[in-house]
Amino acid sequence: MEKSYKLKPDQIERLVPDIGFAFVTDMITVEGKNVDYMVRQQPDREDDSGWIFYGGGETQEYMDDSNNTSLLSINTVANYDPEIIEFLTYPPGTEIERNKDGRLQVVTSAVNEPEVVFLPPVDRGPIKISKNWSFNISGRMLKRLDKGSLVIWRPEFTIWLGSYDANGAGIEERISNVIKTASPDKTDFLEIQKDGVHKIRYHLQEVTDGKEQNAVYIFALTDNQEIHMAIYYDNPNDLLEIEEIWKTLKYTGI
């Protein structure tokens, strides 16, 4: 008998990259429960994420009946419960369960947080970067923490971001450092000051893994804060999006 899933195909949105498939019980996909427990086993094939998701209340008899589980993409499971997103890059052997406060937490001992952690995506319009900065994007983009850096991306378009405190250094000194450390191969250098924010932008043709890569670097500084952005793109039409980011980048702190 065909299952009556809670979510229809047209309700599934892109929340995370394609990282394989997972087993998920009908307690989640048919009954509509949130994920209560998730465990990552060692994958046995390339498209297997290793994750198994439970909604809570599954008995051994229930699990022995293969009709009570489905093999779905990780992105589909994340649509049923977006709370799983931040745990998806934990290694095999990790167990996560919902605590008494109703939040998912890692319960396996001696498991370090991975270097790459997925975050919920951001959508068209103004997006806030930390408590101090915001800018506009034209459509949904995925988001992750990557070795301490915030990364927002979609296919062929990636923004690496870092937000910093001035730590007592004066703004003129910091502006000078940005300019001095810029590549001598930079082009289209632009520097403006408006509403208490000093902004710098330049283009750079880089070589990554033997291939040319288009890049735009953007910096914005106030007396106490600054943000650094490295934007990598493949399609020249994306320069319009970068221009919008540059124009709408503003300081939102106090």
mmCIF file of all heavy atoms in Angstrom, residues 29-69:
data_model
loop_
_atom_site.group_PDB
_atom_site.id
_atom_site.type_symbol
_atom_site.label_atom_id
_atom_site.label_comp_id
_atom_site.label_asym_id
_atom_site.label_seq_id
_atom_site.Cartn_x
_atom_site.Cartn_y
_atom_site.Cartn_z
ATOM 1 N N THR A 29 7.604 10.527 9.036
ATOM 2 C CA THR A 29 7.122 10.910 7.705
ATOM 3 C C THR A 29 5.628 10.704 7.501
ATOM 4 O O THR A 29 5.034 11.346 6.641
ATOM 5 C CB THR A 29 7.883 10.114 6.635
ATOM 6 O OG1 THR A 29 7.688 8.717 6.859
ATOM 7 C CG2 THR A 29 9.363 10.441 6.674
ATOM 8 N N VAL A 30 5.015 9.806 8.281
ATOM 9 C CA VAL A 30 3.573 9.539 8.143
ATOM 10 C C VAL A 30 2.803 10.086 9.342
ATOM 11 O O VAL A 30 1.787 10.765 9.181
ATOM 12 C CB VAL A 30 3.311 8.025 7.967
ATOM 13 C CG1 VAL A 30 1.807 7.753 7.907
ATOM 14 C CG2 VAL A 30 3.993 7.500 6.699
ATOM 15 N N GLU A 31 3.326 9.813 10.550
ATOM 16 C CA GLU A 31 2.633 10.267 11.758
ATOM 17 C C GLU A 31 2.906 11.735 12.073
ATOM 18 O O GLU A 31 2.167 12.365 12.834
ATOM 19 C CB GLU A 31 3.038 9.403 12.946
ATOM 20 C CG GLU A 31 2.741 7.918 12.783
ATOM 21 C CD GLU A 31 1.259 7.641 12.600
ATOM 22 O OE1 GLU A 31 0.446 8.377 13.204
ATOM 23 O OE2 GLU A 31 0.918 6.702 11.864
ATOM 24 N N GLY A 32 3.993 12.285 11.523
ATOM 25 C CA GLY A 32 4.274 13.711 11.696
ATOM 26 C C GLY A 32 5.036 14.072 12.950
ATOM 27 O O GLY A 32 5.084 15.249 13.335
ATOM 28 N N LYS A 33 5.678 13.093 13.610
ATOM 29 C CA LYS A 33 6.471 13.401 14.795
ATOM 30 C C LYS A 33 7.790 14.065 14.410
ATOM 31 O O LYS A 33 8.294 13.874 13.301
ATOM 32 C CB LYS A 33 6.777 12.118 15.578
ATOM 33 C CG LYS A 33 5.582 11.494 16.280
ATOM 34 C CD LYS A 33 6.033 10.320 17.137
ATOM 35 C CE LYS A 33 4.889 9.745 17.945
ATOM 36 N NZ LYS A 33 5.357 8.634 18.834
ATOM 37 N N ASN A 34 8.350 14.834 15.338
ATOM 38 C CA ASN A 34 9.703 15.337 15.165
ATOM 39 C C ASN A 34 10.697 14.202 15.396
ATOM 40 O O ASN A 34 10.365 13.172 15.994
ATOM 41 C CB ASN A 34 9.991 16.472 16.146
ATOM 42 C CG ASN A 34 9.264 17.753 15.792
ATOM 43 O OD1 ASN A 34 9.007 18.025 14.620
ATOM 44 N ND2 ASN A 34 8.911 18.530 16.792
ATOM 45 N N VAL A 35 11.926 14.409 14.936
ATOM 46 C CA VAL A 35 12.983 13.428 15.197
ATOM 47 C C VAL A 35 13.246 13.400 16.698
ATOM 48 O O VAL A 35 13.506 14.435 17.316
ATOM 49 C CB VAL A 35 14.265 13.789 14.426
ATOM 50 C CG1 VAL A 35 15.414 12.874 14.853
ATOM 51 C CG2 VAL A 35 14.022 13.688 12.920
ATOM 52 N N ASP A 36 13.185 12.197 17.279
ATOM 53 C CA ASP A 36 13.438 12.036 18.708
ATOM 54 C C ASP A 36 14.826 11.463 18.961
ATOM 55 O O ASP A 36 15.438 11.741 19.999
ATOM 56 C CB ASP A 36 12.382 11.097 19.317
ATOM 57 C CG ASP A 36 12.537 10.941 20.821
ATOM 58 O OD1 ASP A 36 12.297 11.934 21.531
ATOM 59 O OD2 ASP A 36 12.908 9.838 21.263
ATOM 60 N N TYR A 37 15.323 10.702 17.992
ATOM 61 C CA TYR A 37 16.636 10.061 18.134
ATOM 62 C C TYR A 37 17.199 9.842 16.733
ATOM 63 O O TYR A 37 16.467 9.474 15.804
ATOM 64 C CB TYR A 37 16.479 8.731 18.866
ATOM 65 C CG TYR A 37 17.732 7.888 18.933
ATOM 66 C CD1 TYR A 37 18.743 8.182 19.839
ATOM 67 C CD2 TYR A 37 17.889 6.785 18.104
ATOM 68 C CE1 TYR A 37 19.894 7.394 19.917
ATOM 69 C CE2 TYR A 37 19.033 5.995 18.165
ATOM 70 C CZ TYR A 37 20.028 6.305 19.070
ATOM 71 O OH TYR A 37 21.162 5.534 19.136
ATOM 72 N N MET A 38 18.489 10.090 16.579
ATOM 73 C CA MET A 38 19.151 9.876 15.301
ATOM 74 C C MET A 38 20.538 9.306 15.566
ATOM 75 O O MET A 38 21.221 9.709 16.506
ATOM 76 C CB MET A 38 19.225 11.167 14.479
ATOM 77 C CG MET A 38 19.795 12.358 15.206
ATOM 78 S SD MET A 38 19.537 13.960 14.360
ATOM 79 C CE MET A 38 20.841 13.907 13.119
ATOM 80 N N VAL A 39 20.931 8.341 14.753
ATOM 81 C CA VAL A 39 22.225 7.710 14.920
ATOM 82 C C VAL A 39 22.868 7.552 13.543
ATOM 83 O O VAL A 39 22.190 7.260 12.553
ATOM 84 C CB VAL A 39 22.095 6.334 15.619
ATOM 85 C CG1 VAL A 39 21.165 5.399 14.856
ATOM 86 C CG2 VAL A 39 23.458 5.697 15.834
ATOM 87 N N ARG A 40 24.177 7.772 13.502
ATOM 88 C CA ARG A 40 24.886 7.633 12.235
ATOM 89 C C ARG A 40 25.773 6.392 12.270
ATOM 90 O O ARG A 40 26.702 6.293 13.070
ATOM 91 C CB ARG A 40 25.737 8.870 11.924
ATOM 92 C CG ARG A 40 26.258 8.865 10.493
ATOM 93 C CD ARG A 40 26.920 10.162 10.117
ATOM 94 N NE ARG A 40 27.028 10.268 8.661
ATOM 95 C CZ ARG A 40 27.562 11.303 8.024
ATOM 96 N NH1 ARG A 40 28.043 12.336 8.712
ATOM 97 N NH2 ARG A 40 27.609 11.324 6.713
ATOM 98 N N GLN A 41 25.462 5.452 11.391
ATOM 99 C CA GLN A 41 26.256 4.248 11.252
ATOM 100 C C GLN A 41 27.273 4.427 10.126
ATOM 101 O O GLN A 41 27.209 5.382 9.356
ATOM 102 C CB GLN A 41 25.342 3.054 10.975
ATOM 103 C CG GLN A 41 24.322 2.795 12.071
ATOM 104 C CD GLN A 41 23.402 1.643 11.756
ATOM 105 O OE1 GLN A 41 23.310 1.183 10.621
ATOM 106 N NE2 GLN A 41 22.694 1.165 12.769
ATOM 107 N N GLN A 42 28.202 3.501 10.043
ATOM 108 C CA GLN A 42 29.185 3.556 8.966
ATOM 109 C C GLN A 42 28.482 3.268 7.642
ATOM 110 O O GLN A 42 27.857 2.222 7.490
ATOM 111 C CB GLN A 42 30.290 2.521 9.202
ATOM 112 C CG GLN A 42 31.487 2.681 8.285
ATOM 113 C CD GLN A 42 32.243 3.984 8.524
ATOM 114 O OE1 GLN A 42 32.472 4.379 9.657
ATOM 115 N NE2 GLN A 42 32.618 4.656 7.450
ATOM 116 N N PRO A 43 28.536 4.189 6.671
ATOM 117 C CA PRO A 43 27.864 3.948 5.383
ATOM 118 C C PRO A 43 28.453 2.728 4.678
ATOM 119 O O PRO A 43 29.646 2.442 4.791
ATOM 120 C CB PRO A 43 28.155 5.228 4.585
ATOM 121 C CG PRO A 43 28.517 6.255 5.613
ATOM 122 C CD PRO A 43 29.191 5.508 6.722
ATOM 123 N N ASP A 44 27.594 2.024 3.940
ATOM 124 C CA ASP A 44 28.080 0.854 3.213
ATOM 125 C C ASP A 44 28.064 1.046 1.696
ATOM 126 O O ASP A 44 28.364 0.124 0.947
ATOM 127 C CB ASP A 44 27.270 -0.395 3.591
ATOM 128 C CG ASP A 44 25.771 -0.229 3.326
ATOM 129 O OD1 ASP A 44 25.387 0.765 2.673
ATOM 130 O OD2 ASP A 44 25.002 -1.095 3.775
ATOM 131 N N ARG A 45 27.707 2.267 1.264
ATOM 132 C CA ARG A 45 27.785 2.585 -0.156
ATOM 133 C C ARG A 45 27.911 4.099 -0.305
ATOM 134 O O ARG A 45 27.701 4.853 0.639
ATOM 135 C CB ARG A 45 26.568 2.064 -0.921
ATOM 136 C CG ARG A 45 25.238 2.608 -0.448
ATOM 137 C CD ARG A 45 24.080 1.976 -1.209
ATOM 138 N NE ARG A 45 22.821 2.604 -0.877
ATOM 139 C CZ ARG A 45 22.098 2.295 0.191
ATOM 140 N NH1 ARG A 45 22.511 1.365 1.036
ATOM 141 N NH2 ARG A 45 20.950 2.921 0.421
ATOM 142 N N GLU A 46 28.239 4.544 -1.514
ATOM 143 C CA GLU A 46 28.592 5.945 -1.727
ATOM 144 C C GLU A 46 27.450 6.901 -1.411
ATOM 145 O O GLU A 46 27.666 7.981 -0.863
ATOM 146 C CB GLU A 46 29.051 6.140 -3.174
ATOM 147 C CG GLU A 46 29.575 7.537 -3.462
ATOM 148 C CD GLU A 46 30.116 7.676 -4.869
ATOM 149 O OE1 GLU A 46 30.202 6.665 -5.581
ATOM 150 O OE2 GLU A 46 30.448 8.809 -5.262
ATOM 151 N N ASP A 47 26.214 6.537 -1.754
ATOM 152 C CA ASP A 47 25.093 7.460 -1.564
ATOM 153 C C ASP A 47 24.384 7.256 -0.229
ATOM 154 O O ASP A 47 23.319 7.826 0.013
ATOM 155 C CB ASP A 47 24.094 7.340 -2.716
ATOM 156 C CG ASP A 47 23.468 5.949 -2.811
ATOM 157 O OD1 ASP A 47 23.947 5.032 -2.109
ATOM 158 O OD2 ASP A 47 22.516 5.784 -3.592
ATOM 159 N N ASP A 48 24.976 6.453 0.657
ATOM 160 C CA ASP A 48 24.397 6.204 1.974
ATOM 161 C C ASP A 48 25.010 7.172 2.977
ATOM 162 O O ASP A 48 26.220 7.186 3.166
ATOM 163 C CB ASP A 48 24.678 4.756 2.378
ATOM 164 C CG ASP A 48 24.162 4.427 3.772
ATOM 165 O OD1 ASP A 48 23.325 5.187 4.297
ATOM 166 O OD2 ASP A 48 24.603 3.400 4.332
ATOM 167 N N SER A 49 24.186 7.995 3.610
ATOM 168 C CA SER A 49 24.703 8.935 4.621
ATOM 169 C C SER A 49 25.053 8.232 5.921
ATOM 170 O O SER A 49 25.831 8.743 6.721
ATOM 171 C CB SER A 49 23.671 10.027 4.903
ATOM 172 O OG SER A 49 22.586 9.504 5.661
ATOM 173 N N GLY A 50 24.428 7.066 6.146
ATOM 174 C CA GLY A 50 24.620 6.346 7.406
ATOM 175 C C GLY A 50 23.620 6.715 8.479
ATOM 176 O O GLY A 50 23.520 6.032 9.501
ATOM 177 N N TRP A 51 22.854 7.788 8.254
ATOM 178 C CA TRP A 51 21.915 8.245 9.289
ATOM 179 C C TRP A 51 20.640 7.401 9.314
ATOM 180 O O TRP A 51 20.133 6.978 8.276
ATOM 181 C CB TRP A 51 21.525 9.695 9.049
ATOM 182 C CG TRP A 51 22.556 10.700 9.459
ATOM 183 C CD1 TRP A 51 23.302 11.494 8.642
ATOM 184 C CD2 TRP A 51 22.948 11.026 10.797
ATOM 185 N NE1 TRP A 51 24.136 12.301 9.379
ATOM 186 C CE2 TRP A 51 23.951 12.030 10.705
ATOM 187 C CE3 TRP A 51 22.575 10.567 12.059
ATOM 188 C CZ2 TRP A 51 24.560 12.576 11.826
ATOM 189 C CZ3 TRP A 51 23.191 11.107 13.178
ATOM 190 C CH2 TRP A 51 24.164 12.104 13.062
ATOM 191 N N ILE A 52 20.132 7.184 10.523
ATOM 192 C CA ILE A 52 18.811 6.583 10.754
ATOM 193 C C ILE A 52 18.064 7.505 11.707
ATOM 194 O O ILE A 52 18.611 7.921 12.733
ATOM 195 C CB ILE A 52 18.913 5.175 11.362
ATOM 196 C CG1 ILE A 52 19.794 4.275 10.493
ATOM 197 C CG2 ILE A 52 17.521 4.558 11.508
ATOM 198 C CD1 ILE A 52 20.059 2.909 11.110
ATOM 199 N N PHE A 53 16.826 7.829 11.369
ATOM 200 C CA PHE A 53 16.034 8.783 12.154
ATOM 201 C C PHE A 53 14.794 8.103 12.735
ATOM 202 O O PHE A 53 14.050 7.425 12.017
ATOM 203 C CB PHE A 53 15.605 9.964 11.284
ATOM 204 C CG PHE A 53 16.762 10.757 10.737
ATOM 205 C CD1 PHE A 53 17.306 10.457 9.495
ATOM 206 C CD2 PHE A 53 17.313 11.800 11.464
ATOM 207 C CE1 PHE A 53 18.372 11.186 8.985
ATOM 208 C CE2 PHE A 53 18.380 12.529 10.968
ATOM 209 C CZ PHE A 53 18.912 12.219 9.724
ATOM 210 N N TYR A 54 14.580 8.327 14.030
ATOM 211 C CA TYR A 54 13.444 7.751 14.743
ATOM 212 C C TYR A 54 12.576 8.875 15.318
ATOM 213 O O TYR A 54 13.091 9.897 15.775
ATOM 214 C CB TYR A 54 13.918 6.871 15.895
ATOM 215 C CG TYR A 54 14.810 5.720 15.504
ATOM 216 C CD1 TYR A 54 16.179 5.915 15.296
ATOM 217 C CD2 TYR A 54 14.296 4.436 15.359
ATOM 218 C CE1 TYR A 54 17.006 4.851 14.948
ATOM 219 C CE2 TYR A 54 15.120 3.362 15.013
ATOM 220 C CZ TYR A 54 16.475 3.585 14.798
ATOM 221 O OH TYR A 54 17.291 2.530 14.451
ATOM 222 N N GLY A 55 11.276 8.626 15.353
ATOM 223 C CA GLY A 55 10.356 9.619 15.910
ATOM 224 C C GLY A 55 10.030 9.385 17.367
ATOM 225 O O GLY A 55 9.416 10.228 18.012
ATOM 226 N N GLY A 56 10.423 8.209 17.885
ATOM 227 C CA GLY A 56 10.112 7.878 19.280
ATOM 228 C C GLY A 56 8.950 6.903 19.355
ATOM 229 O O GLY A 56 7.930 7.062 18.673
ATOM 230 N N GLY A 57 9.109 5.861 20.168
ATOM 231 C CA GLY A 57 8.036 4.874 20.343
ATOM 232 C C GLY A 57 8.166 3.669 19.436
ATOM 233 O O GLY A 57 7.324 2.750 19.499
ATOM 234 N N GLU A 58 9.177 3.621 18.584
ATOM 235 C CA GLU A 58 9.359 2.477 17.694
ATOM 236 C C GLU A 58 9.838 1.258 18.496
ATOM 237 O O GLU A 58 10.847 1.331 19.197
ATOM 238 C CB GLU A 58 10.397 2.780 16.604
ATOM 239 C CG GLU A 58 9.964 3.856 15.611
ATOM 240 C CD GLU A 58 10.441 5.251 15.997
ATOM 241 O OE1 GLU A 58 10.771 5.452 17.205
ATOM 242 O OE2 GLU A 58 10.485 6.123 15.123
ATOM 243 N N THR A 59 9.114 0.185 18.442
ATOM 244 C CA THR A 59 9.511 -1.054 19.095
ATOM 245 C C THR A 59 10.381 -1.873 18.144
ATOM 246 O O THR A 59 10.481 -1.563 16.948
ATOM 247 C CB THR A 59 8.281 -1.877 19.486
ATOM 248 O OG1 THR A 59 7.581 -2.249 18.281
ATOM 249 C CG2 THR A 59 7.352 -1.074 20.398
ATOM 250 N N GLN A 60 10.992 -2.930 18.673
ATOM 251 C CA GLN A 60 11.790 -3.802 17.810
ATOM 252 C C GLN A 60 10.902 -4.447 16.750
ATOM 253 O O GLN A 60 11.300 -4.604 15.589
ATOM 254 C CB GLN A 60 12.485 -4.884 18.639
ATOM 255 C CG GLN A 60 13.458 -5.738 17.847
ATOM 256 C CD GLN A 60 14.562 -4.905 17.216
ATOM 257 O OE1 GLN A 60 15.238 -4.147 17.893
ATOM 258 N NE2 GLN A 60 14.743 -5.041 15.895
ATOM 259 N N GLU A 61 9.694 -4.840 17.162
ATOM 260 C CA GLU A 61 8.754 -5.434 16.210
ATOM 261 C C GLU A 61 8.425 -4.444 15.093
ATOM 262 O O GLU A 61 8.343 -4.814 13.912
ATOM 263 C CB GLU A 61 7.476 -5.858 16.939
ATOM 264 C CG GLU A 61 6.442 -6.517 16.031
ATOM 265 C CD GLU A 61 5.181 -6.902 16.786
ATOM 266 O OE1 GLU A 61 5.037 -6.536 17.971
ATOM 267 O OE2 GLU A 61 4.316 -7.561 16.160
ATOM 268 N N TYR A 62 8.247 -3.193 15.475
ATOM 269 C CA TYR A 62 7.962 -2.135 14.498
ATOM 270 C C TYR A 62 9.120 -2.011 13.508
ATOM 271 O O TYR A 62 8.917 -1.949 12.294
ATOM 272 C CB TYR A 62 7.741 -0.821 15.241
ATOM 273 C CG TYR A 62 7.422 0.385 14.387
ATOM 274 C CD1 TYR A 62 6.106 0.773 14.160
ATOM 275 C CD2 TYR A 62 8.446 1.150 13.813
ATOM 276 C CE1 TYR A 62 5.809 1.895 13.391
ATOM 277 C CE2 TYR A 62 8.164 2.260 13.041
ATOM 278 C CZ TYR A 62 6.853 2.628 12.834
ATOM 279 O OH TYR A 62 6.571 3.734 12.065
ATOM 280 N N MET A 63 10.349 -1.991 14.023
ATOM 281 C CA MET A 63 11.512 -1.807 13.166
ATOM 282 C C MET A 63 11.793 -3.033 12.308
ATOM 283 O O MET A 63 12.390 -2.926 11.229
ATOM 284 C CB MET A 63 12.742 -1.472 14.024
ATOM 285 C CG MET A 63 12.657 -0.124 14.727
ATOM 286 S SD MET A 63 12.394 1.276 13.602
ATOM 287 C CE MET A 63 13.872 1.173 12.576
ATOM 288 N N ASP A 64 11.370 -4.206 12.757
ATOM 289 C CA ASP A 64 11.589 -5.422 11.977
ATOM 290 C C ASP A 64 10.735 -5.458 10.720
ATOM 291 O O ASP A 64 11.021 -6.222 9.788
ATOM 292 C CB ASP A 64 11.303 -6.661 12.831
ATOM 293 C CG ASP A 64 12.377 -6.897 13.883
ATOM 294 O OD1 ASP A 64 13.482 -6.338 13.729
ATOM 295 O OD2 ASP A 64 12.103 -7.627 14.855
ATOM 296 N N ASP A 65 9.699 -4.643 10.677
ATOM 297 C CA ASP A 65 8.833 -4.561 9.500
ATOM 298 C C ASP A 65 9.343 -3.444 8.596
ATOM 299 O O ASP A 65 9.205 -2.267 8.912
ATOM 300 C CB ASP A 65 7.390 -4.281 9.934
ATOM 301 C CG ASP A 65 6.408 -4.302 8.766
ATOM 302 O OD1 ASP A 65 6.863 -4.332 7.596
ATOM 303 O OD2 ASP A 65 5.191 -4.267 9.032
ATOM 304 N N SER A 66 9.942 -3.806 7.480
ATOM 305 C CA SER A 66 10.537 -2.816 6.580
ATOM 306 C C SER A 66 9.511 -1.842 6.011
ATOM 307 O O SER A 66 9.884 -0.774 5.507
ATOM 308 C CB SER A 66 11.269 -3.518 5.437
ATOM 309 O OG SER A 66 10.368 -4.306 4.677
ATOM 310 N N ASN A 67 8.230 -2.178 6.089
ATOM 311 C CA ASN A 67 7.196 -1.272 5.593
ATOM 312 C C ASN A 67 7.056 -0.028 6.462
ATOM 313 O O ASN A 67 6.396 0.940 6.069
ATOM 314 C CB ASN A 67 5.849 -1.996 5.529
ATOM 315 C CG ASN A 67 5.812 -3.058 4.454
ATOM 316 O OD1 ASN A 67 6.324 -2.849 3.352
ATOM 317 N ND2 ASN A 67 5.225 -4.212 4.766
ATOM 318 N N ASN A 68 7.664 -0.049 7.649
ATOM 319 C CA ASN A 68 7.548 1.081 8.567
ATOM 320 C C ASN A 68 8.676 2.097 8.419
ATOM 321 O O ASN A 68 8.760 3.046 9.207
ATOM 322 C CB ASN A 68 7.517 0.577 10.013
ATOM 323 C CG ASN A 68 6.238 -0.181 10.329
ATOM 324 O OD1 ASN A 68 5.175 0.127 9.797
ATOM 325 N ND2 ASN A 68 6.346 -1.197 11.179
ATOM 326 N N THR A 69 9.552 1.885 7.451
ATOM 327 C CA THR A 69 10.639 2.837 7.211
ATOM 328 C C THR A 69 10.686 3.202 5.734
ATOM 329 O O THR A 69 10.141 2.500 4.882
ATOM 330 C CB THR A 69 12.005 2.263 7.638
ATOM 331 O OG1 THR A 69 12.270 1.079 6.881
ATOM 332 C CG2 THR A 69 12.031 1.960 9.116
#
